[in-house]
PDB file of all heavy atoms in Angstrom:
ATOM      1  N   ASP A 359      11.661  50.204 -31.830  1.00 89.00           N
ATOM      2  CA  ASP A 359      11.075  51.160 -30.892  1.00 89.00           C
ATOM      3  C   ASP A 359      12.201  51.671 -29.990  1.00 89.00           C
ATOM      4  O   ASP A 359      13.340  51.218 -30.084  1.00 89.00           O
ATOM      5  CB  ASP A 359       9.935  50.532 -30.087  1.00 89.00           C
ATOM      6  CG  ASP A 359      10.397  49.369 -29.228  1.00 89.00           C
ATOM      7  OD1 ASP A 359      11.604  49.273 -28.941  1.00 89.00           O
ATOM      8  OD2 ASP A 359       9.552  48.547 -28.855  1.00 89.00           O
ATOM      9  N   SER A 360      11.885  52.617 -29.122  1.00 86.00           N
ATOM     10  CA  SER A 360      12.969  53.277 -28.384  1.00 86.00           C
ATOM     11  C   SER A 360      13.683  52.317 -27.439  1.00 86.00           C
ATOM     12  O   SER A 360      14.900  52.361 -27.272  1.00 86.00           O
ATOM     13  CB  SER A 360      12.408  54.471 -27.607  1.00 86.00           C
ATOM     14  OG  SER A 360      11.425  54.033 -26.695  1.00 86.00           O
ATOM     15  N   ARG A 361      12.939  51.408 -26.852  1.00 89.00           N
ATOM     16  CA  ARG A 361      13.556  50.456 -25.924  1.00 89.00           C
ATOM     17  C   ARG A 361      14.556  49.563 -26.660  1.00 89.00           C
ATOM     18  O   ARG A 361      15.694  49.377 -26.215  1.00 89.00           O
ATOM     19  CB  ARG A 361      12.452  49.596 -25.280  1.00 89.00           C
ATOM     20  CG  ARG A 361      12.959  48.648 -24.230  1.00 89.00           C
ATOM     21  CD  ARG A 361      11.828  47.920 -23.510  1.00 89.00           C
ATOM     22  NE  ARG A 361      11.168  46.912 -24.343  1.00 89.00           N
ATOM     23  CZ  ARG A 361      10.724  45.728 -23.873  1.00 89.00           C
ATOM     24  NH1 ARG A 361      10.851  45.422 -22.604  1.00 89.00           N
ATOM     25  NH2 ARG A 361      10.134  44.864 -24.680  1.00 89.00           N
ATOM     26  N   SER A 433      11.303  39.509 -14.261  1.00 93.00           N
ATOM     27  CA  SER A 433      10.022  39.880 -13.669  1.00 93.00           C
ATOM     28  C   SER A 433       9.055  38.718 -13.868  1.00 93.00           C
ATOM     29  O   SER A 433       9.449  37.659 -14.334  1.00 93.00           O
ATOM     30  CB  SER A 433       9.492  41.174 -14.299  1.00 93.00           C
ATOM     31  OG  SER A 433       9.369  41.037 -15.692  1.00 93.00           O
ATOM     32  N   ARG A 435       4.614  37.704 -14.601  1.00 88.00           N
ATOM     33  CA  ARG A 435       3.253  38.170 -14.845  1.00 88.00           C
ATOM     34  C   ARG A 435       2.400  37.010 -15.328  1.00 88.00           C
ATOM     35  O   ARG A 435       2.890  35.908 -15.525  1.00 88.00           O
ATOM     36  CB  ARG A 435       3.263  39.300 -15.878  1.00 88.00           C
ATOM     37  CG  ARG A 435       3.839  38.905 -17.225  1.00 88.00           C
ATOM     38  CD  ARG A 435       3.656  40.059 -18.231  1.00 88.00           C
ATOM     39  NE  ARG A 435       4.062  39.695 -19.566  1.00 88.00           N
ATOM     40  CZ  ARG A 435       5.119  40.216 -20.201  1.00 88.00           C
ATOM     41  NH1 ARG A 435       5.883  41.103 -19.599  1.00 88.00           N
ATOM     42  NH2 ARG A 435       5.397  39.847 -21.429  1.00 88.00           N
ATOM     43  N   ASP A 438      -0.470  35.933 -21.405  1.00 80.00           N
ATOM     44  CA  ASP A 438      -1.654  36.289 -22.191  1.00 80.00           C
ATOM     45  C   ASP A 438      -2.002  35.124 -23.120  1.00 80.00           C
ATOM     46  O   ASP A 438      -1.313  34.118 -23.168  1.00 80.00           O
ATOM     47  CB  ASP A 438      -1.454  37.610 -22.940  1.00 80.00           C
ATOM     48  CG  ASP A 438      -0.380  37.513 -24.015  1.00 80.00           C
ATOM     49  OD1 ASP A 438      -0.108  36.403 -24.501  1.00 80.00           O
ATOM     50  OD2 ASP A 438       0.181  38.558 -24.363  1.00 80.00           O
ATOM     51  N   VAL A 455       9.667  36.322 -16.711  1.00 96.00           N
ATOM     52  CA  VAL A 455      10.086  37.112 -17.864  1.00 96.00           C
ATOM     53  C   VAL A 455      11.530  37.547 -17.665  1.00 96.00           C
ATOM     54  O   VAL A 455      11.862  38.141 -16.636  1.00 96.00           O
ATOM     55  CB  VAL A 455       9.200  38.366 -18.016  1.00 96.00           C
ATOM     56  CG1 VAL A 455       9.582  39.144 -19.260  1.00 96.00           C
ATOM     57  CG2 VAL A 455       7.732  37.985 -18.037  1.00 96.00           C
ATOM     58  N   VAL A 457      14.411  39.914 -19.506  1.00 95.00           N
ATOM     59  CA  VAL A 457      14.742  40.859 -20.577  1.00 95.00           C
ATOM     60  C   VAL A 457      16.258  40.972 -20.569  1.00 95.00           C
ATOM     61  O   VAL A 457      16.852  41.344 -19.553  1.00 95.00           O
ATOM     62  CB  VAL A 457      14.080  42.226 -20.343  1.00 95.00           C
ATOM     63  CG1 VAL A 457      14.547  43.230 -21.373  1.00 95.00           C
ATOM     64  CG2 VAL A 457      12.564  42.084 -20.377  1.00 95.00           C
ATOM     65  N   GLU A 472      13.348  39.319 -25.070  1.00 96.00           N
ATOM     66  CA  GLU A 472      12.423  39.127 -23.949  1.00 96.00           C
ATOM     67  C   GLU A 472      11.978  37.676 -24.000  1.00 96.00           C
ATOM     68  O   GLU A 472      11.394  37.241 -24.992  1.00 96.00           O
ATOM     69  CB  GLU A 472      11.221  40.063 -24.084  1.00 96.00           C
ATOM     70  CG  GLU A 472      10.214  39.878 -22.962  1.00 96.00           C
ATOM     71  CD  GLU A 472       9.048  40.851 -23.055  1.00 96.00           C
ATOM     72  OE1 GLU A 472       8.094  40.562 -23.795  1.00 96.00           O
ATOM     73  OE2 GLU A 472       9.105  41.891 -22.387  1.00 96.00           O
ATOM     74  N   LEU A 474       9.950  34.440 -22.154  1.00 97.00           N
ATOM     75  CA  LEU A 474       8.932  34.062 -21.178  1.00 97.00           C
ATOM     76  C   LEU A 474       9.080  32.580 -20.862  1.00 97.00           C
ATOM     77  O   LEU A 474       9.029  31.740 -21.762  1.00 97.00           O
ATOM     78  CB  LEU A 474       7.534  34.325 -21.742  1.00 97.00           C
ATOM     79  CG  LEU A 474       7.321  35.692 -22.389  1.00 97.00           C
ATOM     80  CD1 LEU A 474       5.891  35.825 -22.898  1.00 97.00           C
ATOM     81  CD2 LEU A 474       7.636  36.802 -21.410  1.00 97.00           C
TER      82      LEU A 474
ATOM     83  N   PRO B  64      -1.305  49.088 -28.978  1.00 35.00           N
ATOM     84  CA  PRO B  64      -0.817  48.335 -30.121  1.00 35.00           C
ATOM     85  C   PRO B  64      -1.940  47.582 -30.815  1.00 35.00           C
ATOM     86  O   PRO B  64      -3.026  47.432 -30.272  1.00 35.00           O
ATOM     87  CB  PRO B  64       0.172  47.360 -29.489  1.00 35.00           C
ATOM     88  CG  PRO B  64      -0.317  47.172 -28.096  1.00 35.00           C
ATOM     89  CD  PRO B  64      -0.962  48.466 -27.709  1.00 35.00           C
ATOM     90  N   ASP B  84      -4.566  42.820 -15.438  1.00 85.00           N
ATOM     91  CA  ASP B  84      -3.188  42.375 -15.662  1.00 85.00           C
ATOM     92  C   ASP B  84      -2.613  42.983 -16.929  1.00 85.00           C
ATOM     93  O   ASP B  84      -1.458  43.405 -16.965  1.00 85.00           O
ATOM     94  CB  ASP B  84      -3.131  40.848 -15.765  1.00 85.00           C
ATOM     95  CG  ASP B  84      -3.241  40.168 -14.406  1.00 85.00           C
ATOM     96  OD1 ASP B  84      -2.977  40.836 -13.396  1.00 85.00           O
ATOM     97  OD2 ASP B  84      -3.595  38.982 -14.361  1.00 85.00           O
ATOM     98  N   ARG B  85      -3.420  43.017 -17.977  1.00 86.00           N
ATOM     99  CA  ARG B  85      -2.896  43.522 -19.245  1.00 86.00           C
ATOM    100  C   ARG B  85      -2.671  45.024 -19.206  1.00 86.00           C
ATOM    101  O   ARG B  85      -1.750  45.546 -19.838  1.00 86.00           O
ATOM    102  CB  ARG B  85      -3.820  43.129 -20.389  1.00 86.00           C
ATOM    103  CG  ARG B  85      -3.700  41.618 -20.619  1.00 86.00           C
ATOM    104  CD  ARG B  85      -4.343  41.145 -21.866  1.00 86.00           C
ATOM    105  NE  ARG B  85      -4.056  41.950 -23.048  1.00 86.00           N
ATOM    106  CZ  ARG B  85      -4.562  41.666 -24.231  1.00 86.00           C
ATOM    107  NH1 ARG B  85      -5.354  40.622 -24.375  1.00 86.00           N
ATOM    108  NH2 ARG B  85      -4.280  42.410 -25.269  1.00 86.00           N
ATOM    109  N   ILE B  86      -3.514  45.729 -18.483  1.00 89.00           N
ATOM    110  CA  ILE B  86      -3.298  47.170 -18.356  1.00 89.00           C
ATOM    111  C   ILE B  86      -2.019  47.427 -17.553  1.00 89.00           C
ATOM    112  O   ILE B  86      -1.183  48.247 -17.928  1.00 89.00           O
ATOM    113  CB  ILE B  86      -4.517  47.852 -17.685  1.00 89.00           C
ATOM    114  CG1 ILE B  86      -5.730  47.765 -18.611  1.00 89.00           C
ATOM    115  CG2 ILE B  86      -4.198  49.306 -17.341  1.00 89.00           C
ATOM    116  CD1 ILE B  86      -7.024  48.278 -17.998  1.00 89.00           C
ATOM    117  N   ARG B  87      -1.853  46.683 -16.464  1.00 86.00           N
ATOM    118  CA  ARG B  87      -0.648  46.830 -15.642  1.00 86.00           C
ATOM    119  C   ARG B  87       0.597  46.541 -16.482  1.00 86.00           C
ATOM    120  O   ARG B  87       1.584  47.271 -16.439  1.00 86.00           O
ATOM    121  CB  ARG B  87      -0.717  45.857 -14.468  1.00 86.00           C
ATOM    122  CG  ARG B  87      -0.311  46.488 -13.167  1.00 86.00           C
ATOM    123  CD  ARG B  87      -0.155  45.486 -12.068  1.00 86.00           C
ATOM    124  NE  ARG B  87      -1.353  45.172 -11.328  1.00 86.00           N
ATOM    125  CZ  ARG B  87      -2.093  44.090 -11.500  1.00 86.00           C
ATOM    126  NH1 ARG B  87      -1.775  43.195 -12.418  1.00 86.00           N
ATOM    127  NH2 ARG B  87      -3.152  43.880 -10.768  1.00 86.00           N
ATOM    128  N   GLN B  88       0.499  45.483 -17.258  1.00 81.00           N
ATOM    129  CA  GLN B  88       1.607  45.111 -18.131  1.00 81.00           C
ATOM    130  C   GLN B  88       1.882  46.198 -19.160  1.00 81.00           C
ATOM    131  O   GLN B  88       3.034  46.538 -19.433  1.00 81.00           O
ATOM    132  CB  GLN B  88       1.222  43.805 -18.826  1.00 81.00           C
ATOM    133  CG  GLN B  88       2.275  43.212 -19.710  1.00 81.00           C
ATOM    134  CD  GLN B  88       1.744  41.918 -20.335  1.00 81.00           C
ATOM    135  OE1 GLN B  88       0.918  41.218 -19.754  1.00 81.00           O
ATOM    136  NE2 GLN B  88       2.221  41.600 -21.532  1.00 81.00           N
ATOM    137  N   GLY B  89       0.789  46.765 -19.716  1.00 85.00           N
ATOM    138  CA  GLY B  89       0.939  47.828 -20.692  1.00 85.00           C
ATOM    139  C   GLY B  89       1.654  49.033 -20.101  1.00 85.00           C
ATOM    140  O   GLY B  89       2.447  49.694 -20.769  1.00 85.00           O
ATOM    141  N   ILE B  90       1.385  49.305 -18.824  1.00 84.00           N
ATOM    142  CA  ILE B  90       2.060  50.419 -18.169  1.00 84.00           C
ATOM    143  C   ILE B  90       3.550  50.103 -18.009  1.00 84.00           C
ATOM    144  O   ILE B  90       4.411  50.921 -18.310  1.00 84.00           O
ATOM    145  CB  ILE B  90       1.423  50.700 -16.795  1.00 84.00           C
ATOM    146  CG1 ILE B  90      -0.001  51.212 -16.988  1.00 84.00           C
ATOM    147  CG2 ILE B  90       2.261  51.700 -16.011  1.00 84.00           C
ATOM    148  CD1 ILE B  90      -0.829  51.252 -15.726  1.00 84.00           C
ATOM    149  N   ALA B  91       3.840  48.879 -17.577  1.00 76.00           N
ATOM    150  CA  ALA B  91       5.233  48.482 -17.380  1.00 76.00           C
ATOM    151  C   ALA B  91       6.007  48.539 -18.686  1.00 76.00           C
ATOM    152  O   ALA B  91       7.174  48.900 -18.717  1.00 76.00           O
ATOM    153  CB  ALA B  91       5.289  47.073 -16.794  1.00 76.00           C
ATOM    154  N   GLU B  92       5.349  48.195 -19.788  1.00 74.00           N
ATOM    155  CA  GLU B  92       6.031  48.158 -21.086  1.00 74.00           C
ATOM    156  C   GLU B  92       6.037  49.503 -21.777  1.00 74.00           C
ATOM    157  O   GLU B  92       6.617  49.644 -22.846  1.00 74.00           O
ATOM    158  CB  GLU B  92       5.343  47.146 -22.005  1.00 74.00           C
ATOM    159  CG  GLU B  92       5.578  45.705 -21.600  1.00 74.00           C
ATOM    160  CD  GLU B  92       4.783  44.769 -22.484  1.00 74.00           C
ATOM    161  OE1 GLU B  92       3.990  45.254 -23.315  1.00 74.00           O
ATOM    162  OE2 GLU B  92       4.964  43.543 -22.333  1.00 74.00           O
ATOM    163  N   GLY B  93       5.307  50.462 -21.216  1.00 74.00           N
ATOM    164  CA  GLY B  93       5.308  51.779 -21.821  1.00 74.00           C
ATOM    165  C   GLY B  93       4.229  51.984 -22.854  1.00 74.00           C
ATOM    166  O   GLY B  93       4.154  53.030 -23.490  1.00 74.00           O
ATOM    167  N   THR B  94       3.362  50.971 -23.048  1.00 79.00           N
ATOM    168  CA  THR B  94       2.237  51.149 -23.970  1.00 79.00           C
ATOM    169  C   THR B  94       1.324  52.241 -23.448  1.00 79.00           C
ATOM    170  O   THR B  94       0.810  53.059 -24.214  1.00 79.00           O
ATOM    171  CB  THR B  94       1.442  49.836 -24.090  1.00 79.00           C
ATOM    172  OG1 THR B  94       2.337  48.794 -24.464  1.00 79.00           O
ATOM    173  CG2 THR B  94       0.350  49.969 -25.116  1.00 79.00           C
ATOM    174  N   PHE B  95       1.117  52.230 -22.136  1.00 83.00           N
ATOM    175  CA  PHE B  95       0.364  53.305 -21.499  1.00 83.00           C
ATOM    176  C   PHE B  95       1.347  54.149 -20.709  1.00 83.00           C
ATOM    177  O   PHE B  95       1.957  53.665 -19.762  1.00 83.00           O
ATOM    178  CB  PHE B  95      -0.704  52.730 -20.568  1.00 83.00           C
ATOM    179  CG  PHE B  95      -1.672  51.833 -21.271  1.00 83.00           C
ATOM    180  CD1 PHE B  95      -1.899  50.552 -20.802  1.00 83.00           C
ATOM    181  CD2 PHE B  95      -2.333  52.255 -22.405  1.00 83.00           C
ATOM    182  CE1 PHE B  95      -2.792  49.712 -21.457  1.00 83.00           C
ATOM    183  CE2 PHE B  95      -3.227  51.411 -23.060  1.00 83.00           C
ATOM    184  CZ  PHE B  95      -3.455  50.144 -22.579  1.00 83.00           C
ATOM    185  N   GLU B  96       1.483  55.393 -21.114  1.00 77.00           N
ATOM    186  CA  GLU B  96       2.527  56.204 -20.518  1.00 77.00           C
ATOM    187  C   GLU B  96       2.218  56.641 -19.101  1.00 77.00           C
ATOM    188  O   GLU B  96       1.080  56.987 -18.781  1.00 77.00           O
ATOM    189  CB  GLU B  96       2.772  57.450 -21.375  1.00 77.00           C
ATOM    190  CG  GLU B  96       3.946  57.295 -22.325  1.00 77.00           C
ATOM    191  CD  GLU B  96       3.948  58.437 -23.307  1.00 77.00           C
ATOM    192  OE1 GLU B  96       3.646  59.578 -22.905  1.00 77.00           O
ATOM    193  OE2 GLU B  96       4.252  58.189 -24.498  1.00 77.00           O
ATOM    194  N   GLU B  97       3.240  56.647 -18.321  1.00 74.00           N
ATOM    195  CA  GLU B  97       3.244  57.207 -16.966  1.00 74.00           C
ATOM    196  C   GLU B  97       2.617  58.595 -16.995  1.00 74.00           C
ATOM    197  O   GLU B  97       3.081  59.460 -17.741  1.00 74.00           O
ATOM    198  CB  GLU B  97       4.716  57.302 -16.534  1.00 74.00           C
ATOM    199  CG  GLU B  97       4.930  57.372 -15.069  1.00 74.00           C
ATOM    200  CD  GLU B  97       4.838  55.980 -14.466  1.00 74.00           C
ATOM    201  OE1 GLU B  97       4.875  54.982 -15.210  1.00 74.00           O
ATOM    202  OE2 GLU B  97       4.718  55.919 -13.255  1.00 74.00           O
ATOM    203  N   HIS B 143       1.030  55.052 -11.744  1.00 68.00           N
ATOM    204  CA  HIS B 143       1.970  54.067 -11.225  1.00 68.00           C
ATOM    205  C   HIS B 143       3.386  54.585 -11.066  1.00 68.00           C
ATOM    206  O   HIS B 143       3.922  55.260 -11.919  1.00 68.00           O
ATOM    207  CB  HIS B 143       1.975  52.884 -12.170  1.00 68.00           C
ATOM    208  CG  HIS B 143       2.524  51.644 -11.557  1.00 68.00           C
ATOM    209  ND1 HIS B 143       2.165  51.229 -10.305  1.00 68.00           N
ATOM    210  CD2 HIS B 143       3.390  50.744 -12.022  1.00 68.00           C
ATOM    211  CE1 HIS B 143       2.799  50.114 -10.035  1.00 68.00           C
ATOM    212  NE2 HIS B 143       3.547  49.790 -11.065  1.00 68.00           N
ATOM    213  N   ARG B 146       8.696  50.334 -11.428  1.00 83.00           N
ATOM    214  CA  ARG B 146       9.141  49.202 -10.625  1.00 83.00           C
ATOM    215  C   ARG B 146      10.491  49.463  -9.997  1.00 83.00           C
ATOM    216  O   ARG B 146      11.362  50.085 -10.594  1.00 83.00           O
ATOM    217  CB  ARG B 146       9.276  47.968 -11.512  1.00 83.00           C
ATOM    218  CG  ARG B 146       7.958  47.297 -11.765  1.00 83.00           C
ATOM    219  CD  ARG B 146       8.184  45.995 -12.493  1.00 83.00           C
ATOM    220  NE  ARG B 146       6.876  45.428 -12.841  1.00 83.00           N
ATOM    221  CZ  ARG B 146       6.707  44.385 -13.608  1.00 83.00           C
ATOM    222  NH1 ARG B 146       7.746  43.767 -14.119  1.00 83.00           N
ATOM    223  NH2 ARG B 146       5.514  43.929 -13.859  1.00 83.00           N
TER     224      ARG B 146
END
Side-chain angles (χ1 to χ4, degrees):
Chain A
D359 62 20
S360 60
R361 184 174 72 143
S433 57
R435 60 174 186 248
D438 66 24
V455 183
V457 174
E472 179 177 84
L474 312 180
Chain B
D84 283 340
R85 289 191 46 181
I86 293 174
R87 224 190 273 101
Q88 184 180 330
I90 293 168
E92 289 176 354
T94 305
F95 301 126
E96 263 169 39
E97 201 80 14
H143 199 45
R146 279 187 185 172

